[in-house]
Amino acid sequence: MKALLLALPLLGLSAPAAAETILAGNLITDAASDPMGPATIVVEEGRIVSITRGIDRTATGADVIDLSDKTVLPGLIDTHVHLTGDPGGDFWKEAVEPAEWGVVVGVKNAAKTVRAGFTTVRDVGSSEESAFVLRRGTAEGLIEGPRILASGPALSIVGGHGDVSGFTPEVNLLLDPGFTCTGAVECAEKVRLASQNGSDVIKITATGGVLSQQGRGLGAHFSQEEMRSIVDTAHSLGLKVAAHAHGARGIEAAARAGIDSVEHGTFADEAALTVMKEKGTYMVPTLLAFRGISEGLGQGVYTPVVEQKIRMTLDQVGKAMSGAKRLGVPIAFGTDAGVFAHGRNAEEFEMMVDAGMTPREALASATTVAARLLDMESQIGRIAPGYSADIIAVDGNPLEDARALQNVDWVMVRGKVMQ
């Protein structure tokens, strides 16, 4: 797999100049702040050095980037993607496609994602080392893409969502990536194994899932003791835990155990959201995932058992997020890109607004709030001196119209312009 990465060509990256000057027509430094109007940003060695009001056309940097007709703002953050996967297809293909194929798919999707304005993503579920290889490739500038934080394979219960299923027992065993666990001791061991392998975050499947082949619903999976073991072990290693969770009691149990973020949260009720609020648990709603998967209904894309689960969730989309906002649960932007086509990520903003957020709150969810979830609030999520030069440009004002973020005209990641 590593040899495959080294053989990949450079894809449309311009190396950061010694100094770059960006002329912004209207600068939004932070989702909480009003636009400051025309401004000049100086970038050196991948970091923002200074911001001054007004457009300084006398700047003599190594490269002057004229965005004087654009709104310039921080690069966006998607905290729930699957770069190595594409939507649809036959579930059994995982039995015949090599893990290396995920790197090829991931290179394509990383480029689509960054060109859509997402300069940091958290990949929460991939085969073996594929997302780790992509992480290195974008960090070293070998491939075009966002900054990547990756979990690697998710931890799951035997026979649950995230475990291999749908084949004969012999094939299930052969495809098992080795991250199922039973009991507190074994679950702690698997967290340590994930850490050893290079995980930036621990992903678990705390409830059943919509797209897995089991027809047993979306209820809780891990025991409370198992989840507490996972959380305590991860936190002792400096890692956060993200829990895929749909059913209300599984969401409540995950939050009570100290899980850092609930992914999806589809059927979260008042009791579950109250515990999330008390524990400071983030919700990552992934509303766009359901729009994406609904587009494949009735077309032979999904097996009958999966179609049934999809249909039972569609009328719930957005309700839990609305309840979370009302109670003050922190909401971080995440889409589940991979169950729909990568590059569409920004459609999530419009859905969040439809579910009750203001455009400003939606933008914050993908900048400052997401950065806090990732423990990167001093590095990304705003345009400020010392921060990584992750910057995008659009037409219009996304603080007033979230749809403006669906058409990103210019992207810089770590001081590198995506050509």
Side-chain angles (χ1 to χ4, degrees), residues 138-150:
T138 59
E140 295 186 6
L142 296 176
I143 59 175
E144 181 181 24
R147 174 187 293 99
I148 298 171
L149 285 76

Side-chain angles (χ1 to χ4, degrees), residues 154-175:
L155 274 65
S156 66
I157 65 168
V158 176
H161 183 66
D163 189 19
V164 179
S165 61
F167 305 101
T168 64
E170 295 80 8
V171 175
N172 287 339
L173 182 62
L174 184 64
L175 296 176

